[in-house]
């Protein structure tokens, strides 16, 4: 009878954990459909993970590939404000053991017992352990084949993650990554609609839009304003004789803002 009771309790616990992760997966997928801002999506993902998934603490870091640093982007949980104090600035990736592995291997990495974890971590993990967290998973968020951010989830239960949970969590990281890719493409389309991809300066559509607004404002206030126009002498000659690539470089150099000495 005791064995049956133990098996039944284990089964209930397993179903309970899966239900929590399904709730996170469902909630974040709904957020991906309606949210078009990266920061808002990150904040909502952390909120859903801690409220629907009942993870004690959730954290998203941006990954800076050039400087090999992590940049805190969002966090959630009952103790998140206090925990944020321990990692509010850029952190070298080398000091974040599990996160470094997740970024380097481009796959989820987890520990079911932080007390016995051989891989060194940073101040955030030490503080989490001091507060009683025992299990952690790091999910890489991959856009265009590169890890651009990581989602870290802490649980106080020891041995929280198994194959079933990890299957759902890998699906979760894939869904968030898809949402980030969609946001990137929308931002790029918005940029190309109003700015020159060559110089980064506003194009004629945005210029005409702003000029129309300025004329209307000046008319209402009975004011005058000036417009400065610049022209590059013999630019057509540069384009015809030296080629389009050189002409493009000239435009880029002219577009770079100069700081007065």
């Amino acid at each position: 009878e005791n064995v049956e009771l133990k098996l039944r309790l284990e089964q209930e616990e397993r179903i309970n954990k899966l239900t929590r992760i399904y709730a996170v997966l469902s909630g974040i997928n709904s957020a991906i459909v309606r949210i078009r801002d990266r920061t808002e999506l990150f904040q909502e993902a952390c909120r859903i993970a801690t409220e629907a998934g009942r993870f004690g603490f959730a954290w998203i870091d941006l990954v800076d590939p050039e400087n090999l640093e992590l940049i805190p982007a969002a966090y959630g949980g009952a103790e998140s404000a206090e925990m944020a104090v321990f990692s509010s600035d850029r952190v070298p990736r080398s000091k974040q053991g599990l996160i470094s592995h997740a970024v380097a291997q481009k796959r989820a990495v987890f520990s079911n017992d932080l007390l016995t974890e051989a891989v060194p971590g940073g101040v955030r993990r030490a503080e989490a352990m001091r507060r009683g967290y025992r299990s952690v998973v790091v999910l890489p968020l991959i856009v265009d084949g590169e890890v651009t951010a990581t989602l870290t989830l802490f649980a106080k239960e020891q041995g929280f993650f198994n194959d079933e949970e990890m299957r759902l969590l890998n699906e979760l990281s894939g869904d968030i990554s898809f949402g980030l890719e969609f946001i990137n493409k929308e931002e790029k389309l918005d940029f190309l609609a109003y700015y020159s991809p060559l110089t980064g300066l506003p194009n004629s559509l945005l210029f005409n839009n702003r000029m129309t607004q300025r004329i209307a404002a000046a008319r209402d206030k009975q004011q005058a304003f000036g417009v400065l126009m610049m022209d590059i002498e013999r630019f057509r000659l540069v384009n015809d004789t030296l080629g389009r690539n050189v002409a493009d470089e000239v435009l880029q150099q002219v577009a770079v803002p100069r700081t007065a000495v």
Side-chain angles (χ1 to χ4, degrees):
E1 184 177 346
N2 289 336
V3 174
E4 291 182 359
L5 177 60
K6 181 180 179 182
L7 290 175
R8 182 164 58 82
L9 292 175
E10 288 177 351
Q11 179 73 357
E12 289 177 355
E13 181 181 359
R14 184 180 71 84
I15 293 174
N16 181 50
K17 288 194 297 183
L18 288 174
T19 300
R20 287 163 57 181
I21 296 178
Y22 270 120
V24 175
L25 189 59
S26 175
I28 289 181
N29 280 336
S30 296
I32 290 171
V33 171
R34 60 184 169 79
I35 294 176
R36 294 293 179 268
D37 177 78
R38 187 180 295 100
T39 300
E40 186 181 349
L41 178 59
F42 285 160
Q43 292 171 340
E44 186 68 356
C46 288
R47 185 193 68 78
I48 292 169
T50 54
E51 292 183 8
R54 301 202 300 277
F55 286 99
F57 185 57
W59 193 289
I60 291 181
D61 291 298
L62 297 176
V63 177
D64 183 343
E66 294 184 3
N67 299 314
L68 299 179
E69 291 179 326
L70 301 173
I71 308 167
Y75 51 83
E79 301 173 289
S80 60
E82 297 175 26
M83 286 283 288
V85 175
F86 294 91
S87 189
S88 57
D89 300 318
R90 287 173 174 253
V91 181
R93 238 173 51 204
S94 59
K95 294 185 179 180
Q96 301 290 329
L98 294 178
I99 295 180
S100 295
H101 285 191
V103 173
Q105 299 172 21
K106 297 182 180 179
R107 66 175 182 85
V109 176
F110 68 92
S111 173
N112 273 327
D113 190 354
L114 289 174
L115 294 178
T116 61
E117 183 60 52
V119 179
V123 292
R124 190 191 310 167
R125 186 205 293 180
E127 183 60 22
M129 291 170 61
R130 189 183 73 80
R131 292 169 182 263
Y133 293 99
R134 291 295 174 262
S135 297
V136 61
V137 64
V138 180
L139 305 174
L141 306 179
I142 301 173
V143 177
D144 294 330
E146 298 298 327
V147 180
T148 60
T150 60
L151 169 59
T152 304
L153 303 172
F154 286 95
K156 290 196 172 181
E157 301 96 329
Q158 183 177 334
F160 185 90
F161 303 104
N162 61 26
D163 290 343
E164 288 181 292
E165 278 89 45
M166 290 309 302
R167 179 178 59 81
L168 292 176
L169 289 170
N170 280 319
E171 184 179 341
L172 172 66
S173 65
D175 290 345
I176 298 176
S177 298
F178 174 80
L180 293 176
E181 286 185 351
F182 187 82
I183 290 173
N184 281 358
K185 289 177 181 177
E186 276 204 333
E187 289 177 345
K188 186 174 182 180
L189 288 174
D190 288 343
F191 178 83
L192 293 176
Y194 295 104
Y195 293 87
S196 164
L198 177 65
T199 64
L201 295 177
N203 60 18
S204 59
L205 181 62
L206 183 57
F207 172 78
N208 290 332
N209 179 274
R210 294 292 186 268
M211 180 62 71
T212 300
Q213 293 178 14
R214 189 68 186 87
I215 291 173
R219 184 184 297 115
D220 291 341
K221 295 181 180 180
Q222 303 268 312
Q223 293 178 340
F225 68 94
V227 178
L228 175 64
M229 299 185 65
M230 298 179 61
D231 189 23
I232 303 175
E233 291 188 4
R234 303 190 186 93
F235 180 72
R236 183 181 294 276
L237 182 62
V238 173
N239 192 69
D240 292 342
T241 57
L242 299 179
R244 182 173 178 177
N245 289 340
V246 174
D248 285 349
E249 289 182 15
V250 171
L251 288 175
Q252 289 170 334
Q253 288 295 320
V254 172
V256 174
R258 296 295 192 271
T259 303
V261 178

